[in-house]
Amino acid sequence: METIGRGSPENYVWPETLTTALETENKERALTFMRQMNTADVKANSTSGRSSSNSSAADLIDSSQDLLTEIFLRLPVITLIRLTSVSKQWNFFIKSHSFGLLRNPHPDPPSGLFFEGWDARSKYHYVPLDFGNTVNRPPFTTLRFDSGAIKILQSCNGLLLCVNDFQKYYIYNPTTNRFTTLPPLNNFNPDGFCCMTLAFDPSKSSHYKVVCNYMYRVMMIEIYSSKSGKWKISNERMDDLVDVDRGVYGHNAIHWMSFPNRLVYLKLDEELLHYIDIDTPDTTIYGTILDEFLTESRDGMLLVVRCCRFRRLNVYEINKDYSEWSIKYHVDLEEVIRVCPNMLTRLGLHFVVQSLVLGGREEDSFIVLELPGKLIQYKFVLNTISQLRDFTTESRRCTHGGFFPKTIFQLSDFTPENRRFINGSCFHFIPSLAAV
């Protein structure tokens, strides 16, 4: 495990507010710091205790694991990271898997999104989603912790899977500013092509796995475990028709779409491939799908389908036995069209679905849509729209950088003035204490 060195200010993850002196300060100063940072969360239970010294309060906290737990459960992740330098005891406790499960029994929804932009190679734009949080600085705009341009491949519950120009792969935690370099594969030719998928669920384990698919006479599978620190060659062989560069982790399995009408998943505990012949929704009815993608839900995998005949998105959920897809949401886009009429042209609806986010409650769920000139958040249950970015004002300030050619999925008239993010380049930012 490595810590990223300090570079230019734009590469700082979080400004260092605790100095080296804090590491040697006693618990009286640490307790004062906690009270200053979290006056709304850390309160005395009685007024009689206000006359006690900080020293006795710190000793009380240190002697009571239950009290220490109650205090730490009320602190944000960033504050907890700062407090790991107070003492070895606090560092061990905060980073323990048992405390992580207490604090987050289920993975948090993202507090922000990273987008790879058209305007510069391997440059990322950060879009905050937690509007009530005043600390919404970009954790980074570029990643420079090793040689070559570093690109994000995937996000998974607070961790990022990255790669550089020389096909070195990394697992990076943007919250703690730490990364690890994955070791070389066993049989892979560096001149070849491989696809990797990260699997991490902090509610089940503090360890993660990475699944790699590559061609070595046949489509091979290797699985890396952070517990062992090694790659293991799987006995399973992948079908050549599987779309291996779009793997999605969920419920202890990696899922891929295999057309036509097949879902493939690799169970990570048994390391077995399963091929499920199942009709892809809407293809049998309407024939044409403009775009679709898999995403994880709390209870199963979701398939987001954009059909060409209707002004809506269909979100399907697969049954637990993988027998069929059932409709979960009809996302009506009429309200979005009313608020943003320029997305409707003679050629049809112009938008790209960048992300689907499921909240703790149904009404907190939303989709992120890129429209001509805008990035919006649409809470389809509540039927409310929030603008996340306005590209038309930003484009006037952007005088450098090139744009890649348009593709069929970008639907003809997205231009440098109103199109900012690469399709499929949306990555979730979830503050996490996870070790890499």
Side-chain angles (χ1 to χ4, degrees), residues 207-399:
H207 297 285
Y208 57 85
K209 293 185 178 182
V210 180
V211 175
C212 181
N213 305 93
Y214 61 90
M215 186 62 69
Y216 183 75
R217 300 189 182 95
V218 294
M219 186 64 75
M220 302 283 292
I221 298 175
E222 289 196 34
I223 302 174
Y224 172 84
S225 170
S226 63
K227 188 174 184 179
S228 66
K230 298 178 181 179
W231 288 100
K232 176 185 176 183
I233 299 176
S234 171
N235 294 324
E236 298 292 296
R237 299 294 180 265
M238 185 74 79
D239 190 325
D240 292 347
L241 296 177
V242 177
D243 190 5
V244 293
D245 64 340
R246 300 181 72 179
V248 177
Y249 171 70
H251 301 275
N252 203 34
I254 307 293
H255 299 76
W256 301 271
M257 294 298 295
S258 177
F259 299 101
N261 300 326
R262 174 175 284 187
L263 180 69
V264 181
Y265 65 94
L266 173 69
K267 294 292 289 185
L268 293 177
D269 51 356
E270 57 191 29
E271 297 185 8
L272 292 178
L273 272 175
H274 300 265
Y275 292 84
I276 306 297
D277 291 314
I278 180 173
D279 287 338
T280 303
D282 293 334
T283 55
T284 56
I285 301 175
Y286 307 116
T288 302
I289 292 178
L290 292 182
D291 203 2
E292 66 179 12
F293 64 90
L294 279 171
T295 187
E296 180 191 4
S297 74
R298 288 178 293 274
D299 301 318
M301 299 304 297
L302 297 180
L303 182 67
V304 182
V305 178
R306 176 186 175 187
C307 296
C308 61
R309 294 193 178 187
F310 299 99
R311 297 179 177 184
R312 72 182 183 202
L313 299 171
N314 292 331
V315 181
Y316 296 89
E317 185 173 41
I318 200 165
N319 295 351
K320 292 183 178 180
D321 61 358
Y322 290 91
S323 59
E324 65 176 349
W325 295 99
S326 57
I327 190 70
K328 186 173 179 66
Y329 300 116
H330 285 301
V331 181
D332 192 347
L333 298 177
E334 290 293 343
E335 178 64 16
V336 180
I337 297 172
R338 187 187 68 82
V339 175
C340 307
N342 64 329
M343 67 182 290
L344 181 61
T345 73
R346 60 183 180 81
L347 297 177
L349 288 179
H350 290 206
F351 70 94
V352 172
V353 181
Q354 289 286 8
S355 183
L356 169 67
V357 177
L358 298 183
R361 303 174 300 171
E362 288 287 313
E363 55 267 31
D364 295 330
S365 300
F366 60 88
I367 56 173
V368 176
L369 299 176
E370 185 173 355
L371 313 177
K374 298 180 186 297
L375 186 74
I376 67 168
Q377 177 194 64
Y378 179 37
K379 291 189 175 182
F380 44 85
V381 176
L382 298 176
N383 202 29
T384 59
I385 299 172
S386 302
Q387 180 172 289
L388 300 176
R389 296 286 288 269
D390 184 349
F391 304 137
T392 57
T393 58
E394 292 179 9
S395 64
R396 299 188 188 105
R397 299 193 301 268
C398 182
T399 59

Side-chain angles (χ1 to χ4, degrees), residues 35 47-57:
R35 285 174 173 165
T47 57
S48 60
R50 292 177 182 172
S51 60
S52 301
S53 67
N54 280 346
S55 178
S56 61

Side-chain angles (χ1 to χ4, degrees), residues 22 69 88 155 182:
L22 180 59
T69 301
K88 290 183 179 180
S155 58
L182 298 183

